[in-house]
Amino acid sequence: MPTLETVERFVARVEQNAHTEAIAEFYTPDASMQENQAPPRRGRDALMAGEAKVMARAKSLTSECVRPVFISGDKVVIRWIFNFTWADGSTTRMEELAWQRWEGERIAEETFFYDPAQRTPVPAQP
């Protein structure tokens, strides 16, 4: 199970918008991520590539952890708010819960729960 210090370091990396780096530093090699009930994506390298692809589309991003973070044994739940500004000027505000299963000090499994309607960008204002 993770220590509070490790979880706090993970949160800090995400809040620094170092999303791809956080995957490299805090996920197991065979980790999985799942969006709501979609099939999970597997393997740290694939997760990093997917994250890098999303980050490349963003002109800017703010990432905020809404406290408290819940830790119970090897399970962690984090509430996140992400504000994206895309290259075309449109914006997306995502609020989600991330449920994680840790193996020691690394995330082995993560599922994101959110309203999919949030994924529709708001067009840029003229």
Side-chain angles (χ1 to χ4, degrees):
M1 80 180 172
T3 63
L4 176 59
E5 294 77 19
T6 298
V7 173
E8 290 294 339
R9 283 193 347 263
F10 169 74
V11 167
R13 288 300 272 159
V14 174
E15 288 186 324
Q16 294 164 357
N17 295 325
H19 294 249
T20 305
E21 296 85 350
I23 294 169
E25 295 168 24
F26 292 96
Y27 289 67
T28 63
D30 60 343
S32 69
M33 280 185 183
Q34 183 175 14
E35 309 282 331
N36 290 325
Q37 300 304 311
R41 300 178 307 278
R42 298 191 185 280
R44 183 172 55 207
D45 292 343
L47 301 178
M48 290 171 57
E51 198 71 18
K53 186 176 176 182
V54 171
M55 299 302 283
R57 293 183 14 237
K59 183 170 146 183
S60 68
L61 169 63
T62 59
S63 305
E64 176 190 359
C65 170
V66 180
R67 305 237 175 230
V69 171
F70 296 97
I71 303 171
S72 180
D74 67 348
K75 307 296 188 298
V76 174
V77 176
I78 304 172
R79 181 178 168 201
W80 293 108
I81 296 176
F82 301 108
N83 288 293
F84 294 88
T85 300
W86 304 107
D88 66 0
S90 64
T91 59
T92 301
R93 181 181 190 276
M94 292 281 301
E95 185 170 344
E96 68 183 25
L97 289 178
W99 175 91
Q100 303 168 334
R101 183 180 60 78
W102 290 63
E103 290 180 357
E105 296 291 302
R106 293 193 175 260
I107 300 164
E109 180 181 357
E110 186 168 41
T111 303
F112 303 108
F113 298 95
Y114 58 85
D115 177 356
Q118 298 178 102
R119 295 184 75 167
T120 303
V122 176
Q125 299 299 317

